């Protein structure tokens, strides 16, 4: 079973960054529908972590959702730490948790692929095949599992899966790169984790994508899935 913590906000200051333009087909509500339509309900529970700093949930498409925890953070770094602390408080050590940002799309079958990754001793797993990893010199290994190939990568976004035991042991690293920052320094965090001996892998090709025009997971026509 996967426990998902889906961080939602009506608006985020990340939208101000110059490299964060959206595809013409982008729609946050449809992205949420994609998430619900592609998960396997027998294998997934999800909790929405809603940052009401950006607006009342009653004014959004989430108003009728049941599994909601409200926070009031106003920036990405603190909202991630809030979701992380909630996960540690609410789950046993062997539970797989998936932290998910609200601007991701998934392919059908992603639930089983994500679970399949944990048949190997990976510490951190993402379904996002980040295109930047093909533009830099990355020394990596590739490991097959039953449903996918997995590539070692240097960093990813704050959409990833891990076991609670791992998150507890690495809590100081996550806090170091999120608390006091408007946005989590993802690259620095995962480099620190790898220096600690942690493994981070992504599926290839990706079963999910970050929905920014410049950073779509390659080889998939994502417009067909929204």
């Amino acid at each position: 079973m996967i426990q998902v913590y889906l961080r939602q906000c009506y608006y985020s200051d990340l939208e101000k960054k110059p490299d964060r333009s959206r595809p013409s087909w982008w729609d946050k509500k449809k992205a949420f529908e994609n998430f619900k339509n592609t998960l396997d309900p027998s294998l997934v529970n999800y909790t929405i972590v809603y940052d009401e700093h950006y607006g009342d949930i009653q004014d959004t498409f989430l108003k009728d959702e049941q599994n909601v925890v409200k926070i009031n953070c106003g920036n990405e770094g603190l909202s991630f730490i809030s979701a992380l602390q909630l996960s540690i408080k609410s789950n046993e050590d062997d539970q797989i948790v998936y932290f998910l940002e609200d601007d991701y799309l998934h392919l059908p079958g992603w639930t089983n692929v994500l679970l399949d990754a944990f048949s190997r001793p990976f510490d951190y797993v993402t379904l996002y095949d980040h295109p930047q990893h093909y533009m830099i010199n990355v020394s990596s290994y590739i490991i097959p599992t039953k449903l996918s190939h997995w590539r070692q990568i240097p960093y990813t976004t704050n959409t990833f899966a891990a076991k609670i035991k791992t998150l507890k042991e690495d809590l100081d690293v996550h806090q170091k790169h999120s608390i006091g920052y408007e946005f989590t320094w993802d690259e620095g965090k995962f480099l620190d984790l790898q220096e600690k001996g942690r493994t981070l892998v992504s599926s290839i090709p990706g079963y999910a994508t970050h929905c920014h025009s410049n950073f779509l997971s390659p080889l998939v026509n994502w417009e067909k899935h929204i």
Side-chain angles (χ1 to χ4, degrees), residues 34-134:
N34 161 273
F35 164 71
K36 292 195 293 184
N37 291 335
T38 56
L39 63 81
D40 182 341
S42 70
L43 299 175
V44 172
N45 292 318
Y46 70 86
T47 298
I48 296 170
V49 182
Y50 181 79
D51 193 345
E52 59 185 0
H53 175 88
Y54 295 105
D56 192 322
I57 195 171
Q58 294 302 314
D59 297 327
T60 77
F61 57 84
L62 300 166
K63 61 183 179 180
D64 295 323
E65 287 292 321
Q66 299 301 309
N67 298 321
V68 177
V69 174
K70 294 180 182 179
I71 59 175
N72 195 321
C73 294
N75 67 58
E76 189 280 330
L78 286 180
S79 73
F80 171 73
I81 293 300
S82 294
L84 176 60
Q85 291 172 336
L86 175 63
S87 73
I88 291 174
K89 179 181 177 181
S90 306
N91 297 280
E92 299 298 325
D93 281 0
D94 61 349
Q95 176 65 54
I96 298 169
V97 295
Y98 181 29
F99 299 103
L100 176 60
E101 296 161 286
D102 62 6
D103 56 352
Y104 269 72
L105 288 183
H106 291 80
L107 295 181
W110 69 265
T111 307
N112 288 288
V113 171
L114 188 56
L115 281 174
D116 184 47
F118 287 92
S119 67
R120 294 281 189 167
F122 302 139
D123 297 306
Y124 291 91
V125 177
T126 178
L127 299 172
Y128 176 36
D129 188 19
H130 200 312
Q132 285 190 336
H133 295 149
Y134 298 96

Side-chain angles (χ1 to χ4, degrees), residues 162-177:
K163 290 187 176 182
I164 289 294
K165 181 177 185 294
T166 303
L167 295 169
K168 286 180 177 179
E169 293 174 353
D170 296 343
L171 181 59
D172 59 334
V173 178
H174 291 285
Q175 292 175 329
K176 171 186 173 183
H177 293 286

